[in-house]
Amino acid sequence: MENSILIGGFGGQGVMIFGQLLCYTAAETTDKYVTYFPSYSMEKRGGTANCYVTISDEPIGAPKAEMTDYVVALNSLAMNKFVNNVYSGGTMFINSSVCTEKPDRADITFVEVPASDVAREIGDSRVTNLCMIGAFIAYTDMLPPEKVLATAFKKLGAKHPEFNALNEAAFKKGMEIGRAAKAKKA
Amino acid sequence: MENSILIGGFGGQGVMIFGQLLCYTAAETTDKYVTYFPSYSMEKRGGTANCYVTISDEPIGAPKAEMTDYVVALNSLAMNKFVNNVYSGGTMFINSSVCTEKPDRADITFVEVPASDVAREIGDSRVTNLCMIGAFIAYTDMLPPEKVLATAFKKLGAKHPEFNALNEAAFKKGMEIGRAAKAKKA
Amino acid sequence: MPKIEIEAEYCKSCLYCVEACPKKVIGTTSAVNSKGYQYAVAINPDACVGCAICATVCPDAAIEVYK
Amino acid sequence: MPKIEIEAEYCKSCLYCVEACPKKVIGTTSAVNSKGYQYAVAINPDACVGCAICATVCPDAAIEVYK
Amino acid sequence: MEKIYSRPIGLKKNINGYCPGCLHSAAGKLIMSVLEEFDLLERCTQVDGVGCSANNHTSMDVDSIGSPHGRPCAVASAVKRISPETIVYTYQGDGDLASIGLAETMMAANRGDNITVFFINNANYGMTGGQMAPTTLMDMKTSTTPYGRHAQEHGYPMHMCEVLNALTAPSYIARVTCIDAANMRKARAAVKEAFQHQLDGKGFSFVEFVSNCPTNWGLSPIESLKFIKEKMLPEYPLGEFRNR
Amino acid sequence: MEKIYSRPIGLKKNINGYCPGCLHSAAGKLIMSVLEEFDLLERCTQVDGVGCSANNHTSMDVDSIGSPHGRPCAVASAVKRISPETIVYTYQGDGDLASIGLAETMMAANRGDNITVFFINNANYGMTGGQMAPTTLMDMKTSTTPYGRHAQEHGYPMHMCEVLNALTAPSYIARVTCIDAANMRKARAAVKEAFQHQLDGKGFSFVEFVSNCPTNWGLSPIESLKFIKEKMLPEYPLGEFRNR
Amino acid sequence: MEKVFMKGNEAIAEAAIRAGCRFFAGYPITPQNEIPEYMSRRMPQPDVRGVYLQGESETASAAMLYGAGATGIRAMTSSSSCGIALMSEAIAWMAGACLPVVICNMVRGGPGIGSIQPAQQDYFMATKASGNGGFRMLVFAPSTIQEAVDMMYRAFDLAQKYMNPVYILSDGFTGAMMEPVVLPEMRSDEFLAAERKKNEAWAATGRKGAARSHQIGAGQRPGFPRAPLEQKNKADWEMYESWKVNEVEYENYKTEDAELIITSYGVSARIARSAVDMLRKEGYKVGMIRPIKVHPFPEIAYEQLDYNKLRGILSVEMSIPPLFYYDVEAVVRKRTPIATCLRSGGEIIERSAIIEAAKKLYGDK
Amino acid sequence: MEKVFMKGNEAIAEAAIRAGCRFFAGYPITPQNEIPEYMSRRMPQPDVRGVYLQGESETASAAMLYGAGATGIRAMTSSSSCGIALMSEAIAWMAGACLPVVICNMVRGGPGIGSIQPAQQDYFMATKASGNGGFRMLVFAPSTIQEAVDMMYRAFDLAQKYMNPVYILSDGFTGAMMEPVVLPEMRSDEFLAAERKKNEAWAATGRKGAARSHQIGAGQRPGFPRAPLEQKNKADWEMYESWKVNEVEYENYKTEDAELIITSYGVSARIARSAVDMLRKEGYKVGMIRPIKVHPFPEIAYEQLDYNKLRGILSVEMSIPPLFYYDVEAVVRKRTPIATCLRSGGEIIERSAIIEAAKKLYGDK
Ligand SMILES: Cc1ncc(C[n+]2csc(CCOP(=O)(O)OP(=O)(O)O)c2C)c(N)n1
Ligand SMILES: Cc1ncc(C[n+]2csc(CCOP(=O)(O)OP(=O)(O)O)c2C)c(N)n1
Ligand code: SF4
Ligand code: SF4
Ligand code: SF4
Ligand code: SF4
């Protein structure tokens, strides 16, 4: 089994952290092969940023998959840019707070997560990505949620423990949304 | 017919000028092919300097001949270094004022020219090379003497006309010596 | 009456103008531009005196001032 | 009696010592060393007072001084 | 109603690639504004350094030459000598101008080439992620001075205006900043003066902008201005160092 | 009878490759003499520039590193940091140190690397045949300024001591010459002081020798000393610029 | 050994340190900034006690590396493409002076500043001419982070063995990606001290009573008396020839029964390998030859092919114009058709494109 | 036209000026100093009115050349070996930015500083990798001063035609020697002004009312809108492929009935030619293939040989390890034995050695 995920958004939206949390968790808690590949534009901020994650039972040949099973779009730019990178039958997670016009593709599933709104409610726009991860994990069951959250505590909370509570809240809220979407689909 | 000449001495002894005077004269007054190749050591002065001249009826392939018809040695270092570069049957011109021990080679002719002494008599050590040229031309008949002298006037006298008389004197004295050596040989 | 015009698409939300305006004319709303920046707007336009301080400090030349 | 020793092989005939010596001890002859330099010699050795000026200025460290 | 402050026409109608609050944008705005005032937009060539300054060519509508890292002054010297009627200026970061390009910068200054040099001093290598630059402040942490800049290991901040002032040829040397409206006006005056020197054929003119890098400093834009004021300016005093 | 002036033992028993009367030899003699006095001949590494200075390694019997042209200071900084117990010094001409290697020289100085730099300023590129150097005097003809050095085209002579003095880190900066016995003694004192700074761990020490190039100047050795006195020294005043 | 999930650049830096690298000089350039950054953190730590020195440029950094090499310490630099180009003169000096240093190029798009994205456009610069004078180096081309780490570790020993710079030809992809990796053990201080001691026979850190003073310089073999340059050139040539016997390194992947060979190196080969797997699944008899060192080029790998059986060779690289291709062409000697599958300028080669090109060359199954 | 007896370096400089070169930047290095020195004298003269600019280094000189190229003027630099290596980054930029400049390398011994004496050790640096990113140039390899002069003259036109730097791969021998030479005519001011005018379509000297502002930079084609780097790489590749058809230049010398081919380029070929003559006199059927441009390599010359008739090929160059040899090997494809006759490090190849090696390979007459 090979799962490939492409995560895209603005620089600064936590795209890279999203990918890395998945990877660290998979690498440190499973026997799977894992690769992570980031891709920046020239600008440091304001530009687009995206990353590729592959989690597989076999050695991974192409860490930057052209077509992926999942795309996570944190903004509409990424959504429109990458909508055709999802395999037919695959799933696209969109930050529905900012992605207003859903693209036209009937052969994939869209999971809408109002992550920016959730983050605003929680009180810090920086937890948008944690909400998306929660939704992603709950929907895909790709990794054990508690392990992912533990990784988040370890990697993000080390320097700023004050974020742990916010991150956890966002993650949990995301999971709810993801679970609901999954239930709806089934 | 191809004539190859190797001229060697200390930097500053006028080795390069010797070669160039032959070349300019040949190039500007005959239809022959002419090449000149200088070879310096790293030092600017005090080091050894030598140059290769080839004057030929055919296009010249190797401007730096390994073996030459003539070697002109302005000091003993050059004499000893290049004595084996003369073809058997060839001729070596040596500045006998400073080259005291003639090397041991029976198959070549040595023409001894006390050029430094001549120059000292004339009153300027810088005309040593002109004396050697005079001897060389008189002995070999390679180029018309008046043409060579004219070239010397043109190239060396342009900036320093006061040298013309000294150069001429040295050249003429050299010719005498060269003619005598030739007469002796014949 | 003096007024400012902020071109939302050029604004990167540095908030220099917000900080600089002596009359507290400028602020932000929840609106974002196409690059995702919560751009500055004249939330208090009537207070503007046309001093052009905001435009002067705006690094991205997003503000033009009329008087 | 003070004296200088000039190592002919190190001398390049710059004549700095000749110029510098207050007692005109040093000069050249027609002799040349293996590199062709007309090296300096103490042509007037008895005048030497051992001030070492010649050795001090000799760039090529060809002169040693005894006193 | 009259427009009393306009966007310079030399700026393209797009958002440039600089980070929010980055004063690179401010310097660029001033340069475009002065070129417009002098009616030089059609007569100038901008020589960009490698660094965040490379963003200029996406936003400025003037002839431009992107140069090998550190070499803008050499490039500009050649362009100016070949085409004296062109107003030639370089736009360079501190890594570009004061580190890899130090020899090129100083030799153009020493030759007195009739070019104008804009130097954006943000105390680090912005584009590559905030490494130590010659201009990094003492004790400042950067991605290659993780334990801070220390005199024993890294020496002291480099003061380009002062160093250039040790040369004979330069005709105008000034240090400015863009942290507030008053300073923006002074900075604009310096840019104007520098171009005037070139127009007058006086030789090398140089304007250093004490700038910021909110992204790599890890500060908000507003905080970064405060940092300039409190930390950068004491190390890099503003003023005109030379005006012949 | 006592030997009161000896050839330094660091000099090999051969004739070096410098031209007659070239004061490169004099500088080398002084350095060897001071290293001998400090008993450092076995503890030092000489980093040679490319230029006539490359002659040093045929005549000096100390560990040495021939460096890419202009880079001795970078090479020396690395050697010193790796091996702090070694006394590391560079020996460079003006083309090497002040032109192609200007950035490396200044950055080592700015880092305050604990090395000693000897700079032989002979106002031209000696080894390659006398081209213009940054230090060439005004109006001086060289093989690449056949019509003379002119301010408009070539700028002004570069004063390395003064430029380095604009930096914070260097601990010793001096300019000396070897044109006569008195100056030779002063020059030797400066070399000594410079090494003392390194021994004391004070950082970057720098000694400029105002030197000659009789060969490319087209002057006899004696005339070349006169030229130094009359033309070079007014442009390059001798003295200690810094001594911390 | 424990697996750690690490970024390629950081894994490379750590591997170098574990191999004994105690000096690093470099200058920032994407996509390898994490190497100097990691070094700046790691070198001062108590288990390393090495020197990190940020050069004022690549020219200076390479000169610093040259100086470090002259002290006999294990030393390296890293950069990318145009930064490496700037080091050309100094690299030639290091090869000329026989210094045992390691140079790492995390290649990006070119020519010139090109793009900050990964590419393989420096193949010739690495294998044929990294500077003037016709010298050569062993050139490693890692395909995964694990391989990069293992190569870094060996590189220092080989540099020391041959007294010649060793070159790591990697790319921005391998540097920027993350992957679990097993790091090699840390070389002991004793081992490193002993190695350094050996180098004192030629290192230029003060004569310390040696019979002769030591001179380091391009064209000179450290520890040997000055000799004509040509003699040194000849000794180098002999060494290069010996590499063709002793240092060839390549991988055959599913080549036994292959009717089509894909050949590729570095990151492209990683992607090509998965293309081979997919093609195999579809029943295509495809294999891969992957040079592990790209210099010396593994001619033997292509010599061992049964050209009667082959439908062709597909040469895959992230460079337009192709470069690696010409080395393949030279050894294949028209015995079978060669096709290329290429990307360039920072674009990553797609597995699908490789598969497509392979099928086309394969013809009917 | 009148013959003048001139030094190679000066003849090259004068030929460049007559071809229209109006900008020269360079830095002193033996054995090419007479080129910048000549330029410094000549550029200010009233019939030239060009710009001579002494760079503070080769890096700066190459950057100046880059700037000059960006103005659309005819411009060149010259240097030697390690100096050219220092220009690598900037040369890659010039190729990346499609600037029509001329670069002249008067090769000396290497690697690194090597020796100031002539050599041919930069063959790979010139033909395969003069910088990063896999770009190529037309590379002329003159064999005599006359040929160097004629090539210089043509080089500027070809640079302009292809909008790509042109490289002259000469050597210290050709630069330092003197020989009578016929200089080409001086390009008229009108011609040059017209050429410059054409270049205003892309030159960056101030917009002057152009529809778009002009941007010069590595990876961009002057006068064209910004495009992905890969697209530029592809266009370059196409150009290089077109050279293989349109720009191949070589000489066959007495090859018709030859049973042994000597192959060589540049100064070595000059010496080899006289070896051919001497061997012919002794009755050996020997001929020579001499690439006149060494890039594109004249594969066709070796393709036209009748390998059944050949006893072998002798590859002659002043480089150890050999470099040119590998290009020959690649095109000969083992169809006949290849032997080498080599010198290096500043030693000049001897005619006698060539003759001896040829006889050995020839076997019985
Ligand atoms: C030869 C070379 N070396 C390194 C780089 C990588 N690089 C890109 S931008 C940059 C420097 C950025 O710093 P600075 O000049 O201070 O400008 P800033 O981005 O801070 O404005 C560097 C080193 C390069 N492009 N070329
Ligand atoms: C990279 C490089 N460029 C150029 C040269 C040629 N070169 C040899 S010595 C020298 C400079 C000599 O001048 P300087 O440094 O002033 O020393 P001097 O000979 O006058 O003592 C130059 C440019 C070189 N060897 N390497
Ligand atoms: S013009 Fe003055 S008052 Fe009006 S918004 Fe701007 S800063 Fe405020
Ligand atoms: S200063 Fe300009 S960019 Fe910044 S917030 Fe105000 S309008 Fe936006
Ligand atoms: S990285 Fe720093 S210097 Fe570069 S644009 Fe962003 S804030 Fe400005
Ligand atoms: S060329 Fe000049 S600097 Fe060099 S050794 Fe001779 S006199 Fe001295």
Side-chain angles (χ1 to χ4, degrees), chain B residues 11 16 39-50 81, chain F residues 127, chain H residues 116-117:
Chain B
M16 304 302 173
S39 155
Y40 302 89
S41 64
M42 199 181 74
E43 295 95 8
K44 287 264 137 194
R45 276 199 194 156
T48 54
N50 51 280
K81 189 167 168 196
Chain F
M127 161 143 291
Chain H
I116 61 171
Q117 310 297 343

Side-chain angles (χ1 to χ4, degrees), chain F residues 41-181:
Chain F
L41 287 167
E42 299 269 330
R43 238 185 91 185
C44 69
T45 294
Q46 170 170 285
V47 183
D48 294 304
V50 167
C52 287
S53 31
N55 284 308
N56 281 353
H57 55 215
T58 61
S59 59
M60 295 180 184
D61 211 3
V62 293
D63 274 14
S64 76
I65 304 176
S67 299
H69 189 29
R71 323 298 171 204
C73 284
V75 172
S77 296
V79 174
K80 184 72 186 184
R81 282 170 189 241
I82 291 165
S83 186
E85 66 284 356
T86 307
I87 295 301
V88 183
Y89 65 95
T90 75
Y91 183 99
Q92 313 177 243
D94 38 13
D96 195 74
L97 178 137
S99 186
I100 187 171
L102 184 59
E104 283 77 7
T105 308
M106 291 196 59
M107 294 306 275
N110 195 52
R111 281 191 305 265
D113 266 302
N114 191 27
I115 59 174
T116 302
V117 171
F118 297 113
F119 170 45
I120 313 300
N121 172 3
N122 61 7
N124 75 23
Y125 286 75
M127 161 143 291
T128 44
Q131 293 81 5
M132 177 184 68
T135 47
T136 296
L137 302 180
M138 296 317 295
D139 296 324
M140 200 166 173
K141 284 187 185 170
T142 70
S143 65
T144 53
T145 51
Y147 312 109
R149 178 180 191 155
H150 300 137
Q152 185 68 22
E153 189 180 349
H154 309 106
Y156 298 88
M158 185 102 173
H159 303 90
M160 282 309 302
C161 288
E162 288 81 345
V163 167
L164 290 170
N165 211 9
L167 301 176
T168 312
S171 73
Y172 183 72
I173 303 173
R175 186 182 282 130
V176 300
T177 189
C178 295
I179 52 168
D180 54 32

Side-chain angles (χ1 to χ4, degrees), chain B residues 114-124 173:
Chain B
S116 295
D117 293 328
V118 170
R120 204 166 306 124
E121 277 157 33
I122 291 175
D124 195 317
K173 183 73 198 161

